[in-house]
Amino acid sequence: MRNLFKLFTVILLFSCSKNEEQINPDTPQEQVNQDALVSAFFGLDNALPSLLCNQLGSLLDGMPVNFKFPLDASSLSETDFEVVDSLGNNHIPMCALLAPANENGENRTVLLIGEFGTAVTNPPVEVRIVGDLFTTDTFSGESACSEILNLNGITTTNVIPLADGPSLFFAQKIDGTLNECSSGTQTIQVAWNGGITPFISGDTESDLFQYYIGYSDSSGVLIPHVPISIADINDNDNFHQLCFSTSDEIVKISMMANTVEDPNQDPNLYSEIDVSSCTP
């Protein structure tokens, strides 16, 4: 049960009606950004109960799939995905969930639950989008750019093996109603490619701010800044908000090694990510 709650404590299933009107007719399908599908993370092997997909049965695999742009929840279905194992077998997930990382400003990670292979002898090696899954606009207060795209046809072979630890895949500056920091001058939201909890014995999620470092750029030299606190915690998802007191623009975030662990209890290596922003 500990592994279950540390990956994604998922209760909600989305109704999967397709919204064909969200596609941008001026964007030819061949120009869909392949980088929109960032990675997949083989988080758990035969460790999630099929009850999470409202079905009785054996234990299933869990695989968070991470996207550059936020997704339109109304277009999400398990049949949008195909997971390929190392023997070339194709697997359709039993269910696909945005929860619990489905707050405004999140919606970039889909948890796939099903049978996707075996960690040692036949691991998953590719994830394909085979249905009409749409991205959507960012909310007011997000610094990251977005495009409204039909992701049908894109793939990734960036599938992190079960034995590897989690890493950062996304960061952006947020403000307005999205900002949950109660102090500081700027807030940076970060996202991991799988669910995380503290790795260091005795730490809670509220202690993790001291291990993150933000960097501002001064004439090409990166200046480190430690957050003063952390927000958006204890909600069982892969997003954090880092509260900084500096007015210098944070352009990069790093996390020291052996600080957080995934549900398989694999600690992270050193990880860093640039802060996404739109340019005029």
Side-chain angles (χ1 to χ4, degrees):
M1 291 299 294
R2 179 170 180 258
N3 281 350
L4 167 62
F5 287 104
K6 287 168 58 179
L7 177 64
F8 285 102
T9 304
V10 180
I11 304 300
L12 296 176
L13 294 175
F14 288 100
S15 60
C16 300
S17 61
K18 294 295 182 181
N19 187 348
E20 297 290 346
E21 297 179 356
Q22 291 296 318
I23 188 171
N24 183 349
D26 298 326
T27 303
Q29 186 61 36
E30 63 269 18
Q31 294 181 13
V32 169
N33 189 345
Q34 181 67 37
D35 294 337
L37 177 51
V38 178
S39 66
F41 188 77
F42 193 24
L44 288 174
D45 188 8
N46 294 329
L48 289 173
S50 57
L51 281 175
L52 289 174
C53 298
N54 285 347
Q55 298 187 41
L56 296 175
S58 59
L59 294 176
L60 300 173
D61 304 336
M63 178 181 290
V65 179
N66 303 297
F67 294 86
K68 179 179 180 181
F69 305 126
L71 299 178
D72 176 3
S74 70
S75 75
L76 177 66
S77 169
E78 64 274 7
T79 58
D80 293 332
F81 297 87
E82 187 174 79
V83 179
V84 184
D85 64 30
S86 64
L87 296 179
N89 301 307
N90 298 331
H91 305 273
I92 302 300
M94 186 172 290
C95 59
L97 311 166
L98 274 173
N102 58 352
E103 298 178 12
N104 292 346
E106 298 178 346
N107 289 318
R108 288 173 170 85
T109 296
V110 176
L111 175 61
L112 304 183
I113 300 176
E115 179 53 54
F116 307 129
T118 304
V120 177
T121 60
N122 184 28
V125 296
E126 183 179 4
V127 174
R128 301 169 178 168
I129 308 299
V130 295
D132 292 329
L133 176 63
F134 294 92
T135 61
T136 189
D137 286 328
T138 54
F139 280 84
S140 175
E142 296 189 72
S143 73
C145 300
S146 187
E147 299 179 50
I148 299 179
L149 302 171
N150 185 347
L151 301 178
N152 194 342
I154 71 171
T155 68
T156 185
T157 56
N158 184 23
V159 181
I160 292 90
L162 182 73
D164 287 9
S167 59
L168 294 163
F169 85 90
F170 177 74
Q172 68 171 339
K173 183 177 180 179
I174 56 174
D175 55 28
T177 58
L178 299 180
N179 184 5
E180 298 182 28
C181 288
S182 59
S183 60
T185 56
Q186 65 178 305
T187 299
I188 305 297
Q189 178 195 57
V190 296
W192 293 81
N193 53 17
I196 57 167
T197 52
F199 176 72
I200 299 173
S201 179
D203 273 356
T204 65
E205 204 167 353
S206 62
D207 297 313
L208 291 178
F209 74 93
Q210 61 191 310
Y211 307 116
Y212 283 104
I213 299 177
Y215 301 88
S216 59
D217 189 328
S218 177
S219 302
V221 177
L222 292 178
I223 309 300
H225 306 271
V226 177
I228 58 174
S229 61
I230 189 170
D232 193 17
I233 57 175
N234 301 321
D235 59 355
N236 298 302
D237 68 20
N238 54 329
F239 283 80
H240 284 152
Q241 294 189 15
L242 309 179
C243 316
F244 288 92
S245 60
T246 180
S247 59
D248 298 336
E249 181 184 7
I250 301 295
V251 299
K252 184 186 289 288
I253 297 290
S254 72
M255 170 65 91
M256 61 183 289
N258 300 321
T259 306
V260 296
E261 64 180 10
D262 64 20
N264 201 48
Q265 299 182 359
D266 303 307
N268 68 299
L269 299 175
Y270 173 82
S271 186
E272 66 178 33
I273 192 77
D274 290 334
V275 176
S276 297
S277 60
C278 288
T279 55

